[in-house]
Amino acid sequence: MPGIYMSFIKPVLDRSAAAVGIILILPLFLVVALAFLLTRQFPMIFKQQRTGMDGKPFKLYKLRTLATDASLPLPERKFWLGNFLRTTSLDELPQLWNVLLGEMSFIGPRPMPIEYGPLFSAAQMKRFDVLPGITGWAQVNGRHSISWHEKFALDNYYVKHISAGLDLLILFRTIMLLLSFKKDVSLTEEPFKGTQ
């Protein structure tokens, strides 16, 4: 069953749900676009190279949450719309396009910045045996409040135990987290520096 779920059922569900989701959120995107006009923070879409399944790079899409001037410290790059998008996780919505293209799944290990590639151990590389996800087992078990070592251990657990039941559990817990509106602390997270 895991083989059929991974090779056929999960990809079909992912792409079908992504196609429907893109259509449904179009009105929301228009509202967000108007809000970006007010903030004058362009471009609206943030693009970044990430490492995907089997270590292949792809371009990840998000709504911009920081000002474009990278010379400024992070606190000075924040703006009210970006803070709102981060808190509500609405900044992740453009990744529906990545799912539709088959570069991501709704559920899987989060895609890592491409510069982290040489830092992974052989065991940590197991997380790239599956498509990266918009949400995942590590995200619903601590996210930014746990260490990188713990995150990768949770990612590997997911890869080893992937199933429809586990995906449904992650989806349910993701919804609960979104409804909690927890404070976003991702900007204060230490970057990954490799196996210690």
Side-chain angles (χ1 to χ4, degrees):
M1 180 61 183
I4 297 174
Y5 177 68
M6 275 289 296
S7 62
F8 179 73
I9 298 175
K10 185 175 169 75
V12 169
L13 288 175
D14 275 336
R15 291 191 174 187
S16 300
V20 172
I22 288 170
I23 294 169
L24 291 177
I25 65 173
L26 279 177
L28 175 60
F29 259 85
L30 291 176
V31 173
V32 173
L34 288 173
F36 268 95
L37 282 173
L38 293 174
T39 62
R40 299 181 181 179
Q41 294 293 339
F42 294 106
M44 174 177 159
I45 301 296
F46 170 76
K47 295 174 283 187
Q48 187 180 55
Q49 286 287 314
R50 297 288 179 99
T51 305
M53 185 175 177
D54 297 325
K56 294 177 181 177
F58 72 99
K59 193 174 291 183
L60 177 132
Y61 300 97
K62 296 180 75 170
L63 291 173
R64 178 170 299 284
T65 60
L66 294 173
T68 55
D69 189 352
S71 66
L72 296 172
L74 284 179
E76 294 181 28
R77 293 178 63 191
K78 293 181 181 180
F79 59 102
W80 67 268
L81 179 57
N83 291 340
F84 172 76
L85 293 173
R86 276 181 177 272
T87 301
T88 58
S89 293
L90 290 174
D91 61 318
E92 308 286 357
L93 287 178
Q95 287 163 53
L96 289 175
W97 183 248
N98 291 118
V99 176
L100 187 63
L101 292 176
E103 298 167 331
M104 289 181 66
S105 171
F106 275 93
I107 298 167
R110 282 297 292 166
M112 292 287 105
I114 205 157
E115 60 266 25
Y116 286 0
L119 304 176
F120 294 114
S121 67
Q124 291 165 348
M125 287 296 293
K126 290 290 184 182
R127 70 190 307 282
F128 299 108
D129 288 350
V130 299
L131 285 173
I134 297 176
T135 185
W137 192 228
Q139 278 60 53
V140 300
N141 281 285
R143 201 177 180 183
H144 301 299
S145 64
I146 58 177
S147 68
W148 285 104
H149 176 78
E150 291 170 305
K151 284 182 188 180
F152 295 143
L154 289 166
D155 288 340
N156 282 353
Y157 176 90
Y158 175 79
V159 172
K160 188 175 181 180
H161 298 90
I162 188 169
S163 67
L166 183 55
D167 277 358
L168 285 173
L169 175 61
I170 293 169
L171 181 61
F172 173 76
R173 291 179 65 171
T174 298
I175 293 170
M176 293 298 101
L177 280 174
L178 291 174
L179 294 176
S180 70
F181 294 104
K182 282 191 174 181
K183 182 181 178 182
D184 177 72
V185 294
S186 59
L187 295 179
T188 61
E189 183 179 43
E190 286 291 322
F192 179 55
K193 297 177 181 177
T195 305
Q196 302 299 317

